[in-house]
Amino acid sequence: MSRLTLTGVNIGAPDPHALAAFYAALLGWEISREEEHDVYLRPPDGGPRSLSFQREEGFRPPVWPAEPGGQQMMMHLEVMVDDLEAAVARAVSLGATLARFQPQGDVRVCLDPAGHPFCLWLGEFSA
């Protein structure tokens, strides 16, 4: 059997440079490569993980929560935090919007500047 390794997630956006800058600031990751239509982020500790952003002409932001006829969300990012309210405030200060519908008490659904939902969830970091 072939060995498989997931190395990253690619997110479509109308302006990949602006969205990459948002996530770089939110996550503390570094821009590792910029091209005309693609931008790649890596965590500061290195490793094979990456988050990349690709220009999509005709981009339509997903609707959260889903509505009949609305653009469906294809995926979303889950970001563990140790202080939920502080993380939400930081995300909003960087350009995110708090979604009007919040399904859980220990999770906050936010919309990034391009309209992609992402979740900030309260967890415990190991030492």
Side-chain angles (χ1 to χ4, degrees), residues 73-114:
M73 173 178 60
M74 300 300 288
M75 52 77 69
H76 69 275
L77 299 178
E78 297 276 342
V79 180
M80 185 174 73
V81 302
D82 62 357
D83 182 330
L84 190 55
E85 297 313 313
V88 169
R90 175 161 172 73
V92 168
S93 76
L94 293 170
T97 304
L98 188 61
R100 60 181 161 76
F101 177 66
Q102 298 295 324
Q104 297 168 268
D106 60 347
V107 175
R108 293 294 176 273
V109 179
C110 296
L111 307 175
D112 71 22

Short mmCIF file of all heavy atoms in Angstrom, two decimals, residues 73-114:
data_model
loop_
_atom_site.label_atom_id
_atom_site.label_comp_id
_atom_site.label_asym_id
_atom_site.label_seq_id
_atom_site.Cartn_x
_atom_site.Cartn_y
_atom_site.Cartn_z
N MET A 73 -20.81 25.58 2.52
CA MET A 73 -19.47 25.53 3.06
C MET A 73 -18.89 24.16 2.70
O MET A 73 -19.52 23.13 2.92
CB MET A 73 -19.55 25.69 4.58
CG MET A 73 -18.25 25.49 5.29
SD MET A 73 -18.37 25.73 7.08
CE MET A 73 -19.58 24.52 7.56
N MET A 74 -17.71 24.13 2.12
CA MET A 74 -17.09 22.87 1.73
C MET A 74 -16.20 22.33 2.84
O MET A 74 -15.97 21.13 2.93
CB MET A 74 -16.25 23.06 0.47
CG MET A 74 -17.07 23.54 -0.73
SD MET A 74 -18.38 22.42 -1.21
CE MET A 74 -17.44 21.11 -1.93
N MET A 75 -15.66 23.20 3.67
CA MET A 75 -14.81 22.81 4.79
C MET A 75 -14.67 24.02 5.70
O MET A 75 -15.06 25.12 5.32
CB MET A 75 -13.43 22.34 4.30
CG MET A 75 -12.70 23.30 3.36
SD MET A 75 -11.90 24.76 4.07
CE MET A 75 -10.57 24.07 4.97
N HIS A 76 -14.13 23.78 6.88
CA HIS A 76 -13.80 24.91 7.74
C HIS A 76 -12.64 24.53 8.64
O HIS A 76 -12.37 23.35 8.85
CB HIS A 76 -15.02 25.40 8.54
CG HIS A 76 -15.49 24.45 9.60
ND1 HIS A 76 -16.36 23.42 9.32
CD2 HIS A 76 -15.22 24.37 10.91
CE1 HIS A 76 -16.60 22.75 10.42
NE2 HIS A 76 -15.91 23.29 11.40
N LEU A 77 -11.95 25.54 9.14
CA LEU A 77 -10.81 25.31 10.02
C LEU A 77 -11.28 25.29 11.47
O LEU A 77 -12.17 26.04 11.86
CB LEU A 77 -9.77 26.41 9.83
CG LEU A 77 -9.17 26.54 8.43
CD1 LEU A 77 -8.19 27.71 8.39
CD2 LEU A 77 -8.48 25.25 8.02
N GLU A 78 -10.66 24.43 12.26
CA GLU A 78 -10.89 24.34 13.70
C GLU A 78 -9.62 24.82 14.38
O GLU A 78 -8.55 24.26 14.17
CB GLU A 78 -11.16 22.89 14.11
CG GLU A 78 -12.40 22.28 13.50
CD GLU A 78 -13.66 22.63 14.28
OE1 GLU A 78 -13.56 23.03 15.45
OE2 GLU A 78 -14.74 22.48 13.70
N VAL A 79 -9.73 25.86 15.22
CA VAL A 79 -8.57 26.43 15.89
C VAL A 79 -8.79 26.35 17.39
O VAL A 79 -9.70 26.97 17.94
CB VAL A 79 -8.36 27.90 15.46
CG1 VAL A 79 -7.15 28.50 16.15
CG2 VAL A 79 -8.22 28.01 13.94
N MET A 80 -7.93 25.56 18.08
CA MET A 80 -8.03 25.43 19.53
C MET A 80 -7.41 26.67 20.18
O MET A 80 -6.35 27.15 19.75
CB MET A 80 -7.31 24.17 20.01
CG MET A 80 -7.50 23.94 21.50
SD MET A 80 -6.81 22.36 22.07
CE MET A 80 -5.07 22.70 22.02
N VAL A 81 -8.07 27.17 21.21
CA VAL A 81 -7.60 28.36 21.94
C VAL A 81 -7.70 28.08 23.44
O VAL A 81 -8.46 27.22 23.87
CB VAL A 81 -8.43 29.61 21.57
CG1 VAL A 81 -8.37 29.90 20.08
CG2 VAL A 81 -9.88 29.48 22.01
N ASP A 82 -6.93 28.84 24.23
CA ASP A 82 -7.00 28.67 25.68
C ASP A 82 -7.83 29.76 26.36
O ASP A 82 -8.15 29.66 27.54
CB ASP A 82 -5.61 28.58 26.30
CG ASP A 82 -4.78 29.84 26.10
OD1 ASP A 82 -5.24 30.78 25.42
OD2 ASP A 82 -3.64 29.87 26.59
N ASP A 83 -8.20 30.80 25.61
CA ASP A 83 -9.05 31.87 26.12
C ASP A 83 -9.99 32.25 24.98
O ASP A 83 -9.60 32.98 24.06
CB ASP A 83 -8.20 33.06 26.56
CG ASP A 83 -9.01 34.19 27.17
OD1 ASP A 83 -10.19 34.38 26.79
OD2 ASP A 83 -8.46 34.92 28.01
N LEU A 84 -11.20 31.75 25.05
CA LEU A 84 -12.15 31.89 23.94
C LEU A 84 -12.49 33.35 23.64
O LEU A 84 -12.44 33.78 22.49
CB LEU A 84 -13.41 31.07 24.23
CG LEU A 84 -14.40 30.90 23.09
CD1 LEU A 84 -13.74 30.31 21.85
CD2 LEU A 84 -15.56 30.03 23.55
N GLU A 85 -12.83 34.10 24.65
CA GLU A 85 -13.24 35.49 24.41
C GLU A 85 -12.09 36.33 23.89
O GLU A 85 -12.28 37.18 23.01
CB GLU A 85 -13.86 36.09 25.67
CG GLU A 85 -15.15 35.37 26.11
CD GLU A 85 -16.15 35.13 24.97
OE1 GLU A 85 -16.43 36.06 24.18
OE2 GLU A 85 -16.65 33.99 24.88
N ALA A 86 -10.88 36.11 24.41
CA ALA A 86 -9.71 36.86 23.91
C ALA A 86 -9.41 36.48 22.46
O ALA A 86 -9.06 37.35 21.65
CB ALA A 86 -8.49 36.60 24.80
N ALA A 87 -9.56 35.21 22.12
CA ALA A 87 -9.31 34.77 20.75
C ALA A 87 -10.33 35.36 19.79
O ALA A 87 -9.98 35.78 18.68
CB ALA A 87 -9.32 33.24 20.67
N VAL A 88 -11.58 35.42 20.21
CA VAL A 88 -12.62 36.03 19.37
C VAL A 88 -12.31 37.51 19.17
O VAL A 88 -12.38 38.03 18.05
CB VAL A 88 -14.02 35.84 19.97
CG1 VAL A 88 -15.05 36.70 19.25
CG2 VAL A 88 -14.42 34.37 19.94
N ALA A 89 -11.95 38.20 20.24
CA ALA A 89 -11.64 39.63 20.13
C ALA A 89 -10.46 39.85 19.19
O ALA A 89 -10.49 40.78 18.37
CB ALA A 89 -11.33 40.20 21.52
N ARG A 90 -9.45 39.00 19.27
CA ARG A 90 -8.29 39.13 18.36
C ARG A 90 -8.71 38.89 16.91
O ARG A 90 -8.34 39.65 16.02
CB ARG A 90 -7.19 38.16 18.76
CG ARG A 90 -6.01 38.17 17.80
CD ARG A 90 -4.77 37.59 18.40
NE ARG A 90 -3.72 37.42 17.43
CZ ARG A 90 -3.00 38.39 16.89
NH1 ARG A 90 -3.24 39.64 17.24
NH2 ARG A 90 -2.05 38.13 16.03
N ALA A 91 -9.49 37.84 16.68
CA ALA A 91 -9.94 37.53 15.32
C ALA A 91 -10.74 38.70 14.74
O ALA A 91 -10.53 39.10 13.60
CB ALA A 91 -10.75 36.24 15.30
N VAL A 92 -11.64 39.25 15.53
CA VAL A 92 -12.47 40.37 15.08
C VAL A 92 -11.60 41.60 14.81
O VAL A 92 -11.79 42.30 13.81
CB VAL A 92 -13.59 40.67 16.10
CG1 VAL A 92 -14.27 41.99 15.81
CG2 VAL A 92 -14.60 39.52 16.10
N SER A 93 -10.59 41.84 15.66
CA SER A 93 -9.71 43.00 15.45
C SER A 93 -8.89 42.87 14.17
O SER A 93 -8.48 43.87 13.59
CB SER A 93 -8.77 43.19 16.65
OG SER A 93 -7.72 42.24 16.63
N LEU A 94 -8.69 41.63 13.70
CA LEU A 94 -7.94 41.38 12.47
C LEU A 94 -8.83 41.38 11.22
O LEU A 94 -8.32 41.27 10.11
CB LEU A 94 -7.19 40.05 12.57
CG LEU A 94 -6.07 40.02 13.61
CD1 LEU A 94 -5.58 38.58 13.80
CD2 LEU A 94 -4.93 40.94 13.20
N GLY A 95 -10.16 41.45 11.40
CA GLY A 95 -11.06 41.51 10.26
C GLY A 95 -12.11 40.42 10.18
O GLY A 95 -12.90 40.38 9.25
N ALA A 96 -12.12 39.50 11.16
CA ALA A 96 -13.14 38.45 11.18
C ALA A 96 -14.46 39.05 11.68
O ALA A 96 -14.50 40.12 12.27
CB ALA A 96 -12.72 37.30 12.08
N THR A 97 -15.53 38.31 11.45
CA THR A 97 -16.85 38.66 11.94
C THR A 97 -17.37 37.50 12.77
O THR A 97 -17.21 36.34 12.37
CB THR A 97 -17.82 38.90 10.76
OG1 THR A 97 -17.27 39.91 9.91
CG2 THR A 97 -19.19 39.32 11.24
N LEU A 98 -17.96 37.78 13.90
CA LEU A 98 -18.59 36.73 14.70
C LEU A 98 -19.90 36.35 14.02
O LEU A 98 -20.74 37.22 13.73
CB LEU A 98 -18.85 37.24 16.11
CG LEU A 98 -19.33 36.21 17.13
CD1 LEU A 98 -18.32 35.10 17.34
CD2 LEU A 98 -19.64 36.90 18.46
N ALA A 99 -20.07 35.06 13.72
CA ALA A 99 -21.29 34.61 13.05
C ALA A 99 -22.50 34.83 13.96
O ALA A 99 -22.39 34.73 15.18
CB ALA A 99 -21.17 33.13 12.68
N ARG A 100 -23.65 35.12 13.35
CA ARG A 100 -24.85 35.36 14.16
C ARG A 100 -25.35 34.08 14.82
O ARG A 100 -25.93 34.12 15.89
CB ARG A 100 -25.94 36.02 13.33
CG ARG A 100 -26.40 35.23 12.14
CD ARG A 100 -27.48 35.97 11.33
NE ARG A 100 -27.61 35.45 10.00
CZ ARG A 100 -28.23 34.31 9.70
NH1 ARG A 100 -28.78 33.60 10.64
NH2 ARG A 100 -28.30 33.90 8.46
N PHE A 101 -25.13 32.92 14.20
CA PHE A 101 -25.56 31.64 14.76
C PHE A 101 -24.39 30.96 15.44
O PHE A 101 -23.35 30.74 14.82
CB PHE A 101 -26.13 30.74 13.66
CG PHE A 101 -26.53 29.37 14.15
CD1 PHE A 101 -27.60 29.23 15.04
CD2 PHE A 101 -25.84 28.25 13.75
CE1 PHE A 101 -27.96 27.98 15.50
CE2 PHE A 101 -26.21 26.99 14.20
CZ PHE A 101 -27.27 26.86 15.09
N GLN A 102 -24.54 30.64 16.71
CA GLN A 102 -23.51 29.98 17.52
C GLN A 102 -24.10 28.70 18.10
O GLN A 102 -24.93 28.74 18.99
CB GLN A 102 -23.03 30.91 18.64
CG GLN A 102 -22.38 32.19 18.16
CD GLN A 102 -21.08 31.91 17.42
OE1 GLN A 102 -20.32 31.02 17.75
NE2 GLN A 102 -20.84 32.72 16.38
N PRO A 103 -23.68 27.53 17.59
CA PRO A 103 -24.31 26.27 17.99
C PRO A 103 -23.86 25.68 19.32
O PRO A 103 -24.52 24.80 19.84
CB PRO A 103 -23.96 25.32 16.84
CG PRO A 103 -22.67 25.85 16.32
CD PRO A 103 -22.75 27.34 16.49
N GLN A 104 -22.72 26.15 19.87
CA GLN A 104 -22.19 25.54 21.08
C GLN A 104 -21.64 26.61 22.01
O GLN A 104 -21.15 27.64 21.57
CB GLN A 104 -21.05 24.57 20.74
CG GLN A 104 -21.47 23.39 19.89
CD GLN A 104 -20.27 22.65 19.36
OE1 GLN A 104 -19.80 22.95 18.27
NE2 GLN A 104 -19.77 21.70 20.12
N GLY A 105 -21.64 26.32 23.31
CA GLY A 105 -21.15 27.28 24.29
C GLY A 105 -19.63 27.40 24.34
O GLY A 105 -19.11 28.46 24.68
N ASP A 106 -18.90 26.33 24.03
CA ASP A 106 -17.44 26.37 24.12
C ASP A 106 -16.76 26.54 22.75
O ASP A 106 -15.57 26.31 22.61
CB ASP A 106 -16.90 25.13 24.82
CG ASP A 106 -17.26 23.84 24.10
OD1 ASP A 106 -18.12 23.86 23.19
OD2 ASP A 106 -16.67 22.80 24.44
N VAL A 107 -17.54 26.94 21.76
CA VAL A 107 -17.04 27.16 20.40
C VAL A 107 -17.63 28.48 19.90
O VAL A 107 -18.78 28.79 20.18
CB VAL A 107 -17.49 26.01 19.45
CG1 VAL A 107 -17.08 26.31 18.02
CG2 VAL A 107 -16.95 24.68 19.91
N ARG A 108 -16.82 29.24 19.17
CA ARG A 108 -17.34 30.43 18.51
C ARG A 108 -17.06 30.29 17.02
O ARG A 108 -15.92 30.07 16.61
CB ARG A 108 -16.67 31.71 19.01
CG ARG A 108 -16.97 32.07 20.44
CD ARG A 108 -18.44 32.42 20.64
NE ARG A 108 -18.72 32.68 22.03
CZ ARG A 108 -19.04 31.76 22.94
NH1 ARG A 108 -19.12 30.48 22.59
NH2 ARG A 108 -19.27 32.08 24.18
N VAL A 109 -18.12 30.38 16.23
CA VAL A 109 -17.99 30.37 14.78
C VAL A 109 -17.75 31.80 14.33
O VAL A 109 -18.53 32.71 14.67
CB VAL A 109 -19.25 29.80 14.10
CG1 VAL A 109 -19.09 29.82 12.58
CG2 VAL A 109 -19.54 28.39 14.61
N CYS A 110 -16.67 31.99 13.59
CA CYS A 110 -16.34 33.30 13.03
C CYS A 110 -16.29 33.16 11.51
O CYS A 110 -16.18 32.06 10.97
CB CYS A 110 -14.97 33.76 13.54
SG CYS A 110 -14.89 34.06 15.31
N LEU A 111 -16.37 34.28 10.83
CA LEU A 111 -16.23 34.32 9.38
C LEU A 111 -14.97 35.13 9.07
O LEU A 111 -14.80 36.24 9.58
CB LEU A 111 -17.44 34.99 8.74
CG LEU A 111 -18.81 34.40 9.12
CD1 LEU A 111 -19.93 35.21 8.51
CD2 LEU A 111 -18.90 32.94 8.72
N ASP A 112 -14.07 34.55 8.28
CA ASP A 112 -12.85 35.28 7.93
C ASP A 112 -13.20 36.41 6.96
O ASP A 112 -14.37 36.53 6.53
CB ASP A 112 -11.78 34.32 7.41
CG ASP A 112 -12.05 33.72 6.03
OD1 ASP A 112 -12.82 34.29 5.23
OD2 ASP A 112 -11.45 32.66 5.75
N PRO A 113 -12.26 37.26 6.60
CA PRO A 113 -12.58 38.39 5.72
C PRO A 113 -13.17 38.01 4.37
O PRO A 113 -13.85 38.82 3.75
CB PRO A 113 -11.23 39.10 5.56
CG PRO A 113 -10.51 38.81 6.84
CD PRO A 113 -10.89 37.38 7.15
N ALA A 114 -12.93 36.78 3.90
CA ALA A 114 -13.53 36.33 2.63
C ALA A 114 -14.87 35.64 2.85
O ALA A 114 -15.53 35.26 1.90
CB ALA A 114 -12.56 35.39 1.90
#
